[in-house]
Amino acid sequence: MTATMLLLYTLGILVCLNVDAAQIPFHASSKLRAVNYSAIDDQFHSKYHPLFEVESFLFGLADAFPEQVRTVQLGHSAEGREMQGVVISTPGVIAKGKPGNVGQTKDMVILGAQHAREWIAMSTPLYIAHALALSSNASHSSSSYLPELTGWTIHIIPVPNPDGYAFTWETDRFWYKTRQRWGDRKKNSHDEDDECVGVDMNRNYGYKWKAEKKTGKSKPRPGCDHWYPGSRPFEAPETNSIANYVSTLDNPRVFLDVRSYGQMISPPFSFSCKRVPKHAEDQIEAALGAARAIQSVHQTAYTVSPLCESLYSAPGNAVDWMYKRASIPFSYAVHLRDTGTFGYVLPESWIRPVGEETMGMVRYFAGWIK
């Protein structure tokens, strides 16, 4: 990619090249400017960040707000990277808690980009974490104070697929799956057949999971399919670590699987369009209110419908598992901006407004759900 093309790409202008778009790399800056954690308008939220900068931000946030924020390490990815998250709660609660459980509060889990190419689904949880930390640290008279969030503990996992996300910066901007290797390919970290690597995390959870369908007489090669669900539920260490962590929470009430793109809020189910959750009426009512809250910020319109109807039938989805197995009544997939103009390469100038309006949704859920 030439310097001119890289500049246009950074500004959000799509460049037509006579090459496979999935092979366009996007390289990280070698320098990370100091973050001003005392203000949400810090320039950190005006750019996308590689994995090491994301992790640095999370540790810095915990250092800046030690009474409100702590980091958590959920487990390790297939390539051995740590899966980092943060827990944000009201002052004094963290000191009483233990890993995965922060006292007797209501828990909300916000999961970032399971699909590596969805960069806006990584940056938005970071913005929310920063806004929540400032709110929890604010006095009741401060403009940063958000009373509806009192009594909530928010668990944020911005990069649940660290291997895939790192790969989108280093090699393939549009990589989708994890980077888990199969059989003999485990021995060769430089396998050129990259399409036969990884698991679709959002088809690997243990509720209504289904194996990959066979086509013809030949047995499918593990990992070659774009939506490869794994050979068994929770085969991906990433999905297993997420499920284990959520299972330790005392009172999980909300789960948000942040994704892109489509501007949709979608309750269960994903595995079937024929099944209706017993909490469907409340789920839809809450989602409609959340969509109004989003629209009130920057006039961005979101639609609301069950996940299977919004997209397609997909067994083994995180939203279904969180609802049925983790017993989280308000579980949603939230597809952020836009509706297809930029798709997975949303301009950096949109990071802040998307964060602001999504924070409006989080506030609404926290205030509406008892």
Side-chain angles (χ1 to χ4, degrees):
M1 181 181 289
T2 66
T4 302
M5 290 174 178
L6 179 59
L7 174 62
L8 292 172
Y9 184 87
T10 305
L11 293 174
I13 301 172
L14 297 180
V15 181
C16 294
L17 302 173
N18 189 27
V19 296
D20 182 358
Q23 301 306 316
I24 300 174
F26 193 80
H27 297 289
S29 168
S30 60
K31 295 182 179 179
L32 174 62
R33 188 182 60 81
V35 178
N36 177 15
Y37 291 101
S38 65
I40 193 63
D41 60 352
D42 184 79
Q43 289 300 306
F44 181 87
H45 301 292
S46 65
K47 296 182 180 297
Y48 293 114
H49 297 275
L51 185 62
F52 78 94
E53 292 184 0
V54 173
E55 293 176 342
S56 176
F57 176 84
L58 296 178
F59 287 116
L61 193 68
D63 289 342
F65 302 98
E67 292 297 316
Q68 293 79 39
V69 182
R70 66 179 175 89
T71 59
V72 290
Q73 201 267 313
L74 281 74
H76 290 84
S77 68
E79 292 183 339
R81 292 181 174 88
E82 291 188 344
M83 298 172 62
Q84 300 288 350
V86 288
V87 181
I88 304 169
S89 192
T90 52
V93 176
I94 290 175
K96 301 175 185 178
K98 56 185 179 181
N101 176 10
V102 194
Q104 299 301 315
T105 62
K106 292 173 285 187
D107 295 292
M108 180 185 301
V109 179
I110 301 176
L111 191 63
Q114 294 194 82
H115 297 148
R117 65 191 178 189
E118 299 171 8
W119 286 9
I120 192 65
M122 176 282 303
S123 63
T124 299
L126 292 181
Y127 181 94
I128 292 171
H130 197 174
L132 289 171
L134 287 168
S135 171
S136 298
N137 190 57
S139 67
H140 286 221
S141 60
S142 169
S143 60
S144 298
Y145 178 66
L146 305 175
E148 60 268 48
L149 291 161
T150 300
W152 282 89
T153 297
I154 316 295
H155 308 257
I156 300 178
I157 309 163
V159 190
N161 179 7
D163 297 345
Y165 185 67
F167 195 72
T168 64
W169 281 84
E170 298 164 358
T171 305
D172 180 349
R173 171 62 182 86
F174 297 110
W175 183 256
Y176 181 81
K177 298 177 287 184
T178 67
R179 296 293 300 166
Q180 191 165 350
R181 295 177 180 273
W182 313 102
D184 292 339
R185 278 167 292 170
K186 290 181 180 179
K187 304 175 184 177
N188 183 5
S189 61
H190 302 287
D191 191 343
E192 295 180 359
D193 192 4
D194 278 325
E195 290 303 316
C196 293
V197 172
V199 172
D200 180 351
M201 289 179 63
N202 235 341
R203 291 173 184 260
N204 189 239
Y205 290 83
Y207 182 74
K208 300 296 182 180
W209 176 88
K210 284 188 178 180
E212 183 179 17
K213 292 182 178 179
K214 294 182 179 180
T215 55
K217 296 181 179 180
S218 60
K219 185 178 180 180
R221 293 177 65 195
C224 292
D225 188 78
H226 182 70
W227 293 287
Y228 181 60
S231 63
R232 65 180 186 277
F234 297 119
E235 183 173 24
E238 296 87 353
T239 58
N240 190 56
S241 294
I242 292 165
N244 287 340
Y245 179 80
V246 171
S247 297
T248 69
L249 304 181
D250 276 352
N251 190 23
R253 302 287 293 158
V254 180
F255 170 75
L256 303 175
D257 179 20
V258 181
R259 301 174 61 178
S260 78
Y261 52 92
Q263 297 175 197
M264 302 177 291
I265 304 176
S266 305
F269 285 111
S270 173
F271 81 93
S272 172
C273 295
K274 298 178 181 179
R275 291 282 299 277
V276 178
K278 68 176 182 180
H279 296 94
E281 184 175 350
D282 288 341
Q283 289 169 346
I284 293 295
E285 182 180 355
L288 289 170
R292 290 191 296 270
I294 291 172
Q295 190 165 12
S296 69
V297 180
H298 293 298
Q299 300 305 307
T300 307
Y302 273 57
T303 59
V304 174
S305 62
L307 186 52
C308 179
E309 296 178 11
S310 298
L311 294 176
Y312 38 71
S313 174
N317 190 276
V319 170
D320 290 358
W321 187 88
M322 295 293 174
Y323 175 64
K324 289 296 291 185
R325 293 292 181 257
S327 300
I328 305 179
F330 296 94
S331 294
Y332 300 93
V334 181
H335 286 78
L336 305 175
R337 297 196 202 181
D338 58 4
T339 56
T341 301
F342 293 103
Y344 302 116
V345 289
L346 207 66
E348 291 182 320
S349 60
W350 291 30
I351 294 173
R352 187 182 304 279
V354 172
E356 291 168 347
E357 64 196 16
T358 309
M359 184 62 198
M361 175 193 69
V362 170
R363 293 179 62 181
Y364 181 84
F365 278 131
W368 191 87
I369 296 168
K370 305 303 181 183

